[in-house]
Amino acid sequence: MTSAPPVARAPVDLTPAEAARVVRSVLAPLVAQGAVVRRPRMTAWAERRQSDRTARTILAGLRERYDGAPLVLRVGTRRLVVVTHPDDVRRLLAGTPDPFTPASEEKRGALAHFQPDGVLISPPEDRSERRPFNEAVLQADRPVHDDGAAFVDAVARATGRLAETARATGRLDASSFADAWWSVVLEVVLGPGARDDRRLVDVLGALRRDGNWSWLRPRRPWLRRELDRRVESYLHEPAPGSLADGVVALGGPAAAGQVPHWLFAFDAAGAATLRALAVASARPAVRDRLRDEWARAGAGPALLPYARACVLESVRLWPTTLAILRESSRPTRWDDRTLPAGSGFVVVSSFFHRDTERLPDADSFVPEGWLDGRHDADWGLVPFSGGPASCPGRNLVLLVASHGLARLAELDLHVARGRYLERDPLPCTMDHLGLRFGLRPGRVAGPARRR
Ligand code: HEM
């Protein structure tokens, strides 16, 4: 990302009417959909209302009115600052963890239900140990993880089974996809022995639903103990070629405590893959290019640049981290105004990712923007965040998701409501949980074709 110094604009206090509009039509829909696990009825509602389009209109209007200054509002006793300029995104993300900690009050309340030791909500003294641990096990800086061959084998097995079912029934939907995806996730993170551990998924799911309510929902320590016991049962004799193996090899006091975040975060990778598959199924040119790349790729964990770019474009268009939150650990100066310690900062991802004023192709499917590096250089495009707390799982996600996408693009799928996806502009909100695909008759080629 570029390194020109950011411009500081003095934050402005919104009028009560403006603040109410931001809370009602920008922030509330994000919370309602479920920050930690999506609520299907609310994601369907958000798609019907195209809530991200409304949010964009409101924030773009306020940005224009206040010349890109950060927008200050109160929610109860909490001071929130919604930024609208990429320079301010950069300031927040590059200034992490000090003075802008990712362990905001909202996030601690939400994530402590199932991952109290996770790096994202760790205090600075623990972060300095847990962040390098995450980077090392996930091999954050390597496009292809050393255990990539085992990971893509897991993808091959699960997508192979999914393809068989799709051929038998003529259908594929979000729930059959999710089942296959969990097999991949459990195998990649904990090894083949965990592949069918749906109890673990259920326990994690229950705790994530608690997390949606943050501090409002009492903790359920007995469920968390069950989650920890199940995770630890796979760490006694960790399967080679799984992340569990790396966890045990590196060890350390909070090693096992990082695993629940990985399991939870892989869910987002499934959503991104499914949405990219929907676009590919509606656009023959995208699907053909995926197939072509796949046909030419070598065996094993090949790098699939176009498929990776499609997954990145999916999380640009429909970000899975709906808002990136920061909290100031000390007073911060913004031009001629100082905001007190404890202010909460909000980056509404979809607003920046779909900013029609800055991005000529804001509402178009343009994976090329990731292939030529343009998007990576833009502090407004942060599907995996940016700066020192950016997602250390990004490369791993792109490896697993690109192989999943490439294999499923081999199926001749058509997507229900594909007419909304076959051409630009693409809808601002897409409910991945409502996606349904059919198999075009007469074609039986499937993901098991090559390997
Ligand atoms: C599409 C999939 C994913 C997306 C879009 C994504 C995005 C993000 C974002 C935006 C953050 C920063 C959150 C914040 O600053 O508040 C983050 C943090 C993190 N992600 Fe991911 N993530 C994904 C999947 C994964 C996976 C699969 C793993 C692990 C296997 C992972 C590991 C982490 C960790 C450990 C952090 C915390 C980093 C820190 O606090 O230093 N993520 N991710």
Side-chain angles (χ1 to χ4, degrees), residues 72-82 92 97-108 215 325-334 338-346:
V72 184
L73 63 147
R74 289 254 172 201
V75 180
T77 56
R78 184 101 166 118
R79 174 187 284 99
L80 289 181
V81 184
V82 179
L92 293 172
D98 179 41
F100 302 112
T101 172
S104 68
E105 188 181 322
E106 297 80 6
K107 236 185 283 175
R108 281 184 285 118
W215 299 105
L325 306 179
R326 292 289 181 267
E327 189 171 289
S328 52
S329 50
R330 52 187 161 86
T332 53
R333 192 157 179 80
W334 302 72
T338 299
L339 292 173
S343 300
F345 293 85
V346 186

Short mmCIF file of all heavy atoms in Angstrom, two decimals, residues 72-82 92 97-108 215 325-334 338-346:
data_model
loop_
_atom_site.label_atom_id
_atom_site.label_comp_id
_atom_site.label_asym_id
_atom_site.label_seq_id
_atom_site.Cartn_x
_atom_site.Cartn_y
_atom_site.Cartn_z
N VAL A 72 -18.57 12.05 13.98
CA VAL A 72 -18.66 11.64 15.39
C VAL A 72 -20.13 11.55 15.80
O VAL A 72 -20.92 12.46 15.52
CB VAL A 72 -17.94 12.67 16.30
CG1 VAL A 72 -17.94 12.19 17.75
CG2 VAL A 72 -16.51 12.91 15.81
N LEU A 73 -20.46 10.44 16.43
CA LEU A 73 -21.83 10.29 16.95
C LEU A 73 -21.79 9.52 18.26
O LEU A 73 -20.77 8.90 18.59
CB LEU A 73 -22.73 9.59 15.94
CG LEU A 73 -22.40 8.15 15.55
CD1 LEU A 73 -23.67 7.38 15.26
CD2 LEU A 73 -21.53 8.12 14.30
N ARG A 74 -22.89 9.60 18.99
CA ARG A 74 -22.98 8.90 20.27
C ARG A 74 -23.97 7.76 20.13
O ARG A 74 -25.04 7.93 19.58
CB ARG A 74 -23.53 9.86 21.33
CG ARG A 74 -22.55 10.92 21.70
CD ARG A 74 -22.00 10.57 23.07
NE ARG A 74 -20.91 11.46 23.42
CZ ARG A 74 -20.01 11.14 24.33
NH1 ARG A 74 -20.06 9.98 24.95
NH2 ARG A 74 -19.05 11.97 24.64
N VAL A 75 -23.58 6.60 20.64
CA VAL A 75 -24.54 5.50 20.75
C VAL A 75 -24.55 5.13 22.23
O VAL A 75 -23.61 4.53 22.73
CB VAL A 75 -24.13 4.30 19.88
CG1 VAL A 75 -25.15 3.17 20.01
CG2 VAL A 75 -23.99 4.70 18.42
N GLY A 76 -25.59 5.55 22.94
CA GLY A 76 -25.60 5.42 24.39
C GLY A 76 -24.46 6.26 24.96
O GLY A 76 -24.31 7.43 24.62
N THR A 77 -23.61 5.60 25.76
CA THR A 77 -22.50 6.35 26.34
C THR A 77 -21.26 6.30 25.45
O THR A 77 -20.23 6.90 25.76
CB THR A 77 -22.11 5.75 27.70
OG1 THR A 77 -21.81 4.37 27.48
CG2 THR A 77 -23.24 5.88 28.71
N ARG A 78 -21.36 5.57 24.35
CA ARG A 78 -20.18 5.32 23.52
C ARG A 78 -20.02 6.39 22.46
O ARG A 78 -20.98 6.74 21.76
CB ARG A 78 -20.38 3.95 22.84
CG ARG A 78 -19.22 3.48 22.03
CD ARG A 78 -18.44 2.46 22.80
NE ARG A 78 -17.51 1.75 21.93
CZ ARG A 78 -16.20 1.81 22.13
NH1 ARG A 78 -15.69 2.56 23.08
NH2 ARG A 78 -15.40 1.11 21.35
N ARG A 79 -18.77 6.91 22.31
CA ARG A 79 -18.49 7.82 21.21
C ARG A 79 -17.95 7.01 20.05
O ARG A 79 -16.94 6.31 20.19
CB ARG A 79 -17.45 8.87 21.63
CG ARG A 79 -17.02 9.75 20.45
CD ARG A 79 -15.88 10.68 20.75
NE ARG A 79 -16.29 11.83 21.55
CZ ARG A 79 -16.13 11.94 22.86
NH1 ARG A 79 -15.55 10.96 23.54
NH2 ARG A 79 -16.53 13.00 23.53
N LEU A 80 -18.65 7.08 18.91
CA LEU A 80 -18.18 6.36 17.73
C LEU A 80 -17.77 7.37 16.67
O LEU A 80 -18.42 8.41 16.49
CB LEU A 80 -19.28 5.46 17.17
CG LEU A 80 -19.65 4.21 17.98
CD1 LEU A 80 -20.73 3.42 17.27
CD2 LEU A 80 -18.42 3.33 18.22
N VAL A 81 -16.72 7.03 15.94
CA VAL A 81 -16.22 7.90 14.88
C VAL A 81 -16.22 7.09 13.60
O VAL A 81 -15.48 6.11 13.47
CB VAL A 81 -14.79 8.39 15.21
CG1 VAL A 81 -14.31 9.38 14.16
CG2 VAL A 81 -14.72 8.98 16.61
N VAL A 82 -17.08 7.49 12.66
CA VAL A 82 -17.18 6.76 11.39
C VAL A 82 -16.32 7.51 10.38
O VAL A 82 -16.56 8.70 10.12
CB VAL A 82 -18.64 6.70 10.90
CG1 VAL A 82 -18.74 5.97 9.56
CG2 VAL A 82 -19.52 6.01 11.95
N LEU A 92 -5.88 4.61 10.86
CA LEU A 92 -6.36 3.66 11.87
C LEU A 92 -5.64 2.32 11.77
O LEU A 92 -5.21 1.75 12.77
CB LEU A 92 -7.86 3.43 11.71
CG LEU A 92 -8.78 4.62 12.02
CD1 LEU A 92 -10.22 4.29 11.63
CD2 LEU A 92 -8.69 4.98 13.50
N PRO A 97 -1.29 -1.69 16.77
CA PRO A 97 -2.29 -1.68 17.85
C PRO A 97 -2.21 -0.42 18.74
O PRO A 97 -3.04 -0.28 19.62
CB PRO A 97 -1.92 -2.92 18.65
CG PRO A 97 -0.44 -3.07 18.48
CD PRO A 97 -0.12 -2.53 17.11
N ASP A 98 -1.20 0.44 18.50
CA ASP A 98 -1.10 1.63 19.34
C ASP A 98 -0.98 2.85 18.45
O ASP A 98 -0.08 2.89 17.62
CB ASP A 98 0.12 1.48 20.26
CG ASP A 98 0.29 2.69 21.16
OD1 ASP A 98 -0.73 3.19 21.66
OD2 ASP A 98 1.44 3.17 21.31
N PRO A 99 -1.87 3.81 18.54
CA PRO A 99 -2.88 3.99 19.59
C PRO A 99 -4.23 3.38 19.27
O PRO A 99 -5.16 3.52 20.07
CB PRO A 99 -3.02 5.52 19.66
CG PRO A 99 -2.80 5.97 18.24
CD PRO A 99 -1.78 5.01 17.67
N PHE A 100 -4.36 2.66 18.13
CA PHE A 100 -5.69 2.16 17.75
C PHE A 100 -5.73 0.64 17.92
O PHE A 100 -5.28 -0.10 17.05
CB PHE A 100 -6.02 2.55 16.30
CG PHE A 100 -5.98 4.04 16.08
CD1 PHE A 100 -5.00 4.62 15.28
CD2 PHE A 100 -6.91 4.87 16.70
CE1 PHE A 100 -4.95 5.99 15.09
CE2 PHE A 100 -6.86 6.25 16.51
CZ PHE A 100 -5.87 6.81 15.71
N THR A 101 -6.24 0.21 19.05
CA THR A 101 -6.26 -1.23 19.29
C THR A 101 -7.43 -1.89 18.55
O THR A 101 -8.53 -1.32 18.50
CB THR A 101 -6.35 -1.55 20.80
OG1 THR A 101 -6.54 -2.96 20.95
CG2 THR A 101 -7.51 -0.85 21.48
N PRO A 102 -7.19 -3.10 18.00
CA PRO A 102 -8.32 -3.83 17.40
C PRO A 102 -9.23 -4.42 18.48
O PRO A 102 -10.34 -4.83 18.19
CB PRO A 102 -7.66 -4.93 16.58
CG PRO A 102 -6.24 -4.98 16.98
CD PRO A 102 -5.91 -3.79 17.82
N ALA A 103 -8.73 -4.49 19.72
CA ALA A 103 -9.51 -5.12 20.79
C ALA A 103 -10.54 -4.12 21.33
O ALA A 103 -10.50 -3.74 22.50
CB ALA A 103 -8.57 -5.60 21.90
N SER A 104 -11.45 -3.69 20.45
CA SER A 104 -12.45 -2.70 20.86
C SER A 104 -13.45 -3.36 21.82
O SER A 104 -13.56 -4.59 21.88
CB SER A 104 -13.19 -2.17 19.63
OG SER A 104 -13.97 -3.20 19.07
N GLU A 105 -14.17 -2.51 22.53
CA GLU A 105 -15.13 -3.01 23.51
C GLU A 105 -16.14 -3.97 22.87
O GLU A 105 -16.42 -5.05 23.38
CB GLU A 105 -15.86 -1.80 24.11
CG GLU A 105 -16.73 -2.13 25.27
CD GLU A 105 -17.43 -0.87 25.80
OE1 GLU A 105 -16.80 0.20 25.82
OE2 GLU A 105 -18.61 -0.98 26.17
N GLU A 106 -16.66 -3.58 21.69
CA GLU A 106 -17.67 -4.40 21.01
C GLU A 106 -17.08 -5.76 20.65
O GLU A 106 -17.72 -6.80 20.81
CB GLU A 106 -18.16 -3.72 19.73
CG GLU A 106 -18.86 -2.38 19.91
CD GLU A 106 -17.89 -1.21 20.11
OE1 GLU A 106 -16.67 -1.42 20.00
OE2 GLU A 106 -18.36 -0.09 20.39
N LYS A 107 -15.84 -5.72 20.13
CA LYS A 107 -15.23 -6.98 19.68
C LYS A 107 -14.88 -7.89 20.85
O LYS A 107 -15.07 -9.10 20.78
CB LYS A 107 -13.97 -6.66 18.87
CG LYS A 107 -14.01 -7.26 17.48
CD LYS A 107 -12.72 -7.05 16.75
CE LYS A 107 -12.59 -5.65 16.22
NZ LYS A 107 -11.28 -5.39 15.60
N ARG A 108 -14.41 -7.28 21.94
CA ARG A 108 -14.11 -8.12 23.12
C ARG A 108 -15.38 -8.78 23.62
O ARG A 108 -15.39 -9.98 23.92
CB ARG A 108 -13.45 -7.27 24.22
CG ARG A 108 -11.97 -7.02 23.93
CD ARG A 108 -11.30 -6.27 25.07
NE ARG A 108 -11.67 -4.85 25.06
CZ ARG A 108 -12.32 -4.22 26.03
NH1 ARG A 108 -12.65 -4.86 27.13
NH2 ARG A 108 -12.62 -2.94 25.93
N TRP A 215 -21.85 -8.23 24.81
CA TRP A 215 -21.95 -8.25 26.28
C TRP A 215 -23.36 -8.54 26.74
O TRP A 215 -23.57 -8.87 27.92
CB TRP A 215 -21.53 -6.89 26.86
CG TRP A 215 -20.13 -6.49 26.54
CD1 TRP A 215 -19.74 -5.55 25.61
CD2 TRP A 215 -18.92 -7.00 27.11
NE1 TRP A 215 -18.37 -5.46 25.58
CE2 TRP A 215 -17.83 -6.33 26.49
CE3 TRP A 215 -18.64 -7.97 28.08
CZ2 TRP A 215 -16.51 -6.58 26.81
CZ3 TRP A 215 -17.31 -8.22 28.39
CH2 TRP A 215 -16.26 -7.53 27.76
N LEU A 325 -13.30 -2.40 13.23
CA LEU A 325 -13.42 -1.54 14.42
C LEU A 325 -12.05 -1.33 15.07
O LEU A 325 -11.22 -2.25 15.11
CB LEU A 325 -14.35 -2.20 15.45
CG LEU A 325 -15.74 -2.59 14.96
CD1 LEU A 325 -16.53 -3.24 16.10
CD2 LEU A 325 -16.50 -1.39 14.41
N ARG A 326 -11.86 -0.14 15.56
CA ARG A 326 -10.67 0.19 16.35
C ARG A 326 -11.10 1.02 17.55
O ARG A 326 -12.17 1.64 17.53
CB ARG A 326 -9.65 0.99 15.52
CG ARG A 326 -9.00 0.21 14.39
CD ARG A 326 -8.03 -0.83 14.93
NE ARG A 326 -7.36 -1.58 13.88
CZ ARG A 326 -7.81 -2.76 13.42
NH1 ARG A 326 -8.92 -3.30 13.88
NH2 ARG A 326 -7.12 -3.40 12.49
N GLU A 327 -10.24 1.05 18.58
CA GLU A 327 -10.53 1.87 19.75
C GLU A 327 -9.22 2.56 20.15
O GLU A 327 -8.17 1.90 20.16
CB GLU A 327 -11.02 0.97 20.88
CG GLU A 327 -11.55 1.71 22.07
CD GLU A 327 -12.20 0.71 23.04
OE1 GLU A 327 -13.29 0.18 22.73
OE2 GLU A 327 -11.59 0.45 24.09
N SER A 328 -9.30 3.85 20.47
CA SER A 328 -8.05 4.56 20.80
C SER A 328 -7.67 4.27 22.25
O SER A 328 -8.50 4.32 23.15
CB SER A 328 -8.19 6.06 20.57
OG SER A 328 -9.33 6.55 21.23
N SER A 329 -6.38 3.95 22.44
CA SER A 329 -5.93 3.61 23.79
C SER A 329 -5.41 4.86 24.50
O SER A 329 -5.06 4.80 25.67
CB SER A 329 -4.83 2.55 23.73
OG SER A 329 -3.85 2.93 22.80
N ARG A 330 -5.32 5.98 23.79
CA ARG A 330 -4.94 7.27 24.39
C ARG A 330 -5.54 8.38 23.54
O ARG A 330 -6.04 8.10 22.43
CB ARG A 330 -3.42 7.38 24.50
CG ARG A 330 -2.69 7.12 23.21
CD ARG A 330 -1.17 7.10 23.47
NE ARG A 330 -0.44 6.44 22.42
CZ ARG A 330 -0.02 7.01 21.30
NH1 ARG A 330 -0.29 8.28 21.05
NH2 ARG A 330 0.65 6.32 20.40
N PRO A 331 -5.51 9.63 24.01
CA PRO A 331 -6.08 10.72 23.21
C PRO A 331 -5.38 10.80 21.84
O PRO A 331 -4.17 10.59 21.75
CB PRO A 331 -5.80 11.96 24.05
CG PRO A 331 -5.60 11.46 25.44
CD PRO A 331 -5.00 10.10 25.30
N THR A 332 -6.16 11.06 20.80
CA THR A 332 -5.55 11.17 19.46
C THR A 332 -5.92 12.51 18.85
O THR A 332 -7.05 12.98 18.99
CB THR A 332 -6.03 10.02 18.54
OG1 THR A 332 -7.46 9.98 18.54
CG2 THR A 332 -5.49 8.68 18.98
N ARG A 333 -4.94 13.09 18.17
CA ARG A 333 -5.14 14.42 17.61
C ARG A 333 -5.48 14.31 16.12
O ARG A 333 -4.83 13.60 15.37
CB ARG A 333 -3.85 15.23 17.79
CG ARG A 333 -4.06 16.69 17.51
CD ARG A 333 -3.02 17.59 18.18
NE ARG A 333 -3.31 18.98 17.81
CZ ARG A 333 -4.25 19.72 18.40
NH1 ARG A 333 -4.98 19.22 19.38
NH2 ARG A 333 -4.47 20.96 17.98
N TRP A 334 -6.56 14.99 15.74
CA TRP A 334 -7.01 15.00 14.35
C TRP A 334 -7.14 16.46 13.94
O TRP A 334 -8.10 17.12 14.34
CB TRP A 334 -8.37 14.30 14.20
CG TRP A 334 -8.35 12.88 14.67
CD1 TRP A 334 -8.28 12.45 15.97
CD2 TRP A 334 -8.38 11.71 13.86
NE1 TRP A 334 -8.27 11.08 16.01
CE2 TRP A 334 -8.33 10.59 14.72
CE3 TRP A 334 -8.45 11.48 12.47
CZ2 TRP A 334 -8.35 9.27 14.27
CZ3 TRP A 334 -8.47 10.17 12.01
CH2 TRP A 334 -8.42 9.10 12.89
N THR A 338 -8.87 17.06 19.45
CA THR A 338 -8.35 15.86 20.10
C THR A 338 -9.52 15.00 20.56
O THR A 338 -10.45 15.50 21.21
CB THR A 338 -7.47 16.25 21.31
OG1 THR A 338 -6.38 17.03 20.83
CG2 THR A 338 -6.93 15.02 22.01
N LEU A 339 -9.48 13.74 20.17
CA LEU A 339 -10.53 12.81 20.61
C LEU A 339 -10.00 12.04 21.81
O LEU A 339 -8.84 11.63 21.83
CB LEU A 339 -10.88 11.83 19.47
CG LEU A 339 -11.58 12.45 18.25
CD1 LEU A 339 -11.73 11.42 17.15
CD2 LEU A 339 -12.93 13.04 18.63
N PRO A 340 -10.85 11.85 22.83
CA PRO A 340 -10.35 11.20 24.05
C PRO A 340 -10.03 9.72 23.85
O PRO A 340 -10.54 9.09 22.90
CB PRO A 340 -11.53 11.36 25.02
CG PRO A 340 -12.72 11.61 24.18
CD PRO A 340 -12.26 12.22 22.90
N ALA A 341 -9.22 9.19 24.75
CA ALA A 341 -8.96 7.75 24.77
C ALA A 341 -10.30 7.04 24.92
O ALA A 341 -11.22 7.56 25.53
CB ALA A 341 -8.05 7.41 25.93
N GLY A 342 -10.38 5.85 24.33
CA GLY A 342 -11.63 5.07 24.47
C GLY A 342 -12.64 5.40 23.39
O GLY A 342 -13.75 4.86 23.42
N SER A 343 -12.29 6.26 22.41
CA SER A 343 -13.22 6.50 21.30
C SER A 343 -13.21 5.27 20.40
O SER A 343 -12.16 4.66 20.17
CB SER A 343 -12.77 7.71 20.47
OG SER A 343 -12.72 8.88 21.27
N GLY A 344 -14.39 4.92 19.91
CA GLY A 344 -14.49 3.79 18.98
C GLY A 344 -14.46 4.30 17.55
O GLY A 344 -15.06 5.33 17.24
N PHE A 345 -13.75 3.61 16.65
CA PHE A 345 -13.65 4.02 15.25
C PHE A 345 -14.24 2.91 14.37
O PHE A 345 -14.03 1.73 14.64
CB PHE A 345 -12.20 4.27 14.87
CG PHE A 345 -11.61 5.46 15.58
CD1 PHE A 345 -11.07 5.32 16.86
CD2 PHE A 345 -11.61 6.71 14.98
CE1 PHE A 345 -10.54 6.42 17.53
CE2 PHE A 345 -11.08 7.81 15.64
CZ PHE A 345 -10.55 7.67 16.92
N VAL A 346 -14.94 3.34 13.32
CA VAL A 346 -15.64 2.38 12.47
C VAL A 346 -15.27 2.62 11.01
O VAL A 346 -15.39 3.74 10.50
CB VAL A 346 -17.18 2.53 12.60
CG1 VAL A 346 -17.90 1.43 11.83
CG2 VAL A 346 -17.61 2.53 14.06
#
